[in-house]
Amino acid sequence: MNSDLDPKCSLAPMIDGPRRLLVSAVVCFLTCLCAGCAKSAPQIATAAPAPEVMVFGFQTRMAPEYLEVTGRINSVFVVDIRSRVSGYLSKVFFRDGQFVHKGDALYEIDPRPSLAKLAESKGTVEKLLGERRFAEIQIDRYEKLIVKGAASQQELDSYRAKLEENTGSLASARAQQDFNQLNLDFCTIVSPIDGQVSRTQFQVGNLINQDQTTLTTVVSIDPVFVYFNVDEPTLLQVLKTMRATSHPSGLTAGKLFIDVGLVDDLERVYPHRCVVDFLNNQLDTQTATITMRGRLDNPYDPNPDHPKPPLFRSGMFARVRLPLGQSAQRLLVPEPAIASNQDRKILWLVDAENVVSTREVLVGQKIGTWITVQPTDPSKPFGTSDRVVVRGLQRCREGKPVTPRLASDEIVLLNTLPAGEAASPDAARPDDP
């Protein structure tokens, strides 16, 4: 019991408690101090390198101004073959899709009914000719008898009347004979033009109605027409240029040459050239366009030993490049450099400090894999040190630096201008008319 009442023993827990609290407070203070020092220490950050892009310089070429429109190729002649007589089809002389010449037989209608009618009309003509010869003999005889007083004038007049009546009947009979001969000729249906025949719609044994039944269609092959429409401002520009100047690449005195490409002309080479031979006499008020037409040569050889099929067919889609003016110095960029911002066309340009910026441009014609461009604001032309971003457009940010790298030789070759355009776009092609 004495030990429990000892003051030293009773105060020990009271002394140890404050010490523990003091030690804990010191430890917390030191911990906060170290954390604050750690936060206040400067952090060393590494700046991200500027993105790398591929650039290419502007190219300057003498190039004319063109308008690209779409058109359709049509045959010069399209003839529906119908029969001029009624009857049963007895022969088909051609193969489906065969090339034919003017006058080649295509069909035959059974000619026997027409032959019978022709024979009947010939018999009628022969009968009337006999009556005519008899009337002429009688007239000659009665004229002599009247002189001798052995015949009356009335009998002579009656034979003269019969001769005149025979003249009319004979003319009618001969017309009927010619008509029956025509019907016999029409039993053989021939091609009215040179061209290619379509498939036959009827076979032997079918009843053919006169002027109603379409048997097949024949279309001409060489030449063909390419039709296209242009709007009113374009028409005025073409006409003013044709009136004011002469240009060997497309515009000459009173003539307009166009270049044509088909659906496989993906590079817009336009390998076919022809002359415009028709301009409609009025504009379509609903579309405000006018129809123009070019005449294309379409040679072919139907010889089965060395066939040469025609290239153009009626109904084909065509691209037409219409010259609008004389050649001038134009800026060209590779096609991959053209970017879009909603309905606007833009270029990403890298200046001398390697900072990129956008420039809105007007896109012109396509020459090979190049496109002519010009700034929408003429007061802000392109700088001499500006380079165009051709690859890595998605890495560009307005006003941010980049690491430009000149396009490799492969890219340069890929975007090389066509030989004819690069050398002399104004020179007339060898096949110019």
Side-chain angles (χ1 to χ4, degrees), residues 81 85 162 263 272:
I81 302 300
V85 294
K162 289 180 180 180
V263 69
H272 312 287

Side-chain angles (χ1 to χ4, degrees), residues 10 46 86 106 113 125 129 140 148 158 165 169 253 266 279 285 323 356 389 402 410 416:
S10 60
T46 303
S86 296
L106 302 178
V125 171
L129 286 175
D140 183 65
K148 297 178 180 181
S158 65
E165 181 181 356
S169 300
L266 301 179
L279 175 64
T285 56
V356 294
V389 179
V402 293
E410 291 78 5
T416 300

Side-chain angles (χ1 to χ4, degrees), residues 242-280:
M242 290 179 66
R243 289 161 58 94
T245 186
S246 173
H247 192 261
S249 123
L251 296 171
T252 60
K255 289 186 178 181
L256 175 64
F257 294 97
I258 58 173
D259 299 319
V260 180
L262 300 180
V263 69
D264 62 340
D265 186 23
L266 301 179
E267 298 300 327
R268 301 295 202 275
V269 178
Y270 297 94
H272 312 287
R273 169 160 287 199
C274 66
V275 64
V276 173
D277 70 339
F278 169 74
L279 175 64
N280 205 0

Side-chain angles (χ1 to χ4, degrees), residues 48 186 196 225 229 286 327 330 345 408-409:
F186 291 155
Q196 186 177 19
F225 289 145
N229 293 339
Q286 296 183 352
S327 296
R330 305 185 190 279
K345 299 297 183 181
S408 63
D409 293 339

Side-chain angles (χ1 to χ4, degrees), residues 126-200:
E126 291 297 330
K127 176 184 176 182
L128 292 172
L129 286 175
E131 293 177 354
R132 181 181 183 82
R133 286 192 295 270
F134 176 75
E136 289 175 347
I137 293 172
Q138 288 296 94
I139 290 173
D140 183 65
R141 178 183 295 127
Y142 274 90
E143 286 178 347
K144 294 178 181 179
L145 292 175
I146 288 177
V147 174
K148 297 178 180 181
S152 65
Q153 185 67 34
Q154 182 179 1
E155 291 175 331
L156 177 60
D157 292 341
S158 65
Y159 280 109
R160 286 177 176 173
K162 289 180 180 180
L163 181 61
E164 293 178 359
E165 181 181 356
N166 177 269
T167 301
S169 300
L170 185 60
S172 176
R174 283 175 172 169
Q176 185 64 39
Q177 179 183 349
D178 292 341
F179 178 74
N180 291 334
Q181 182 65 54
L182 280 176
N183 285 338
L184 179 62
D185 296 339
F186 291 155
C187 288
T188 302
I189 303 173
V190 300
S191 175
I193 60 172
D194 293 339
Q196 186 177 19
V197 66
S198 180
R199 67 183 181 91
T200 180

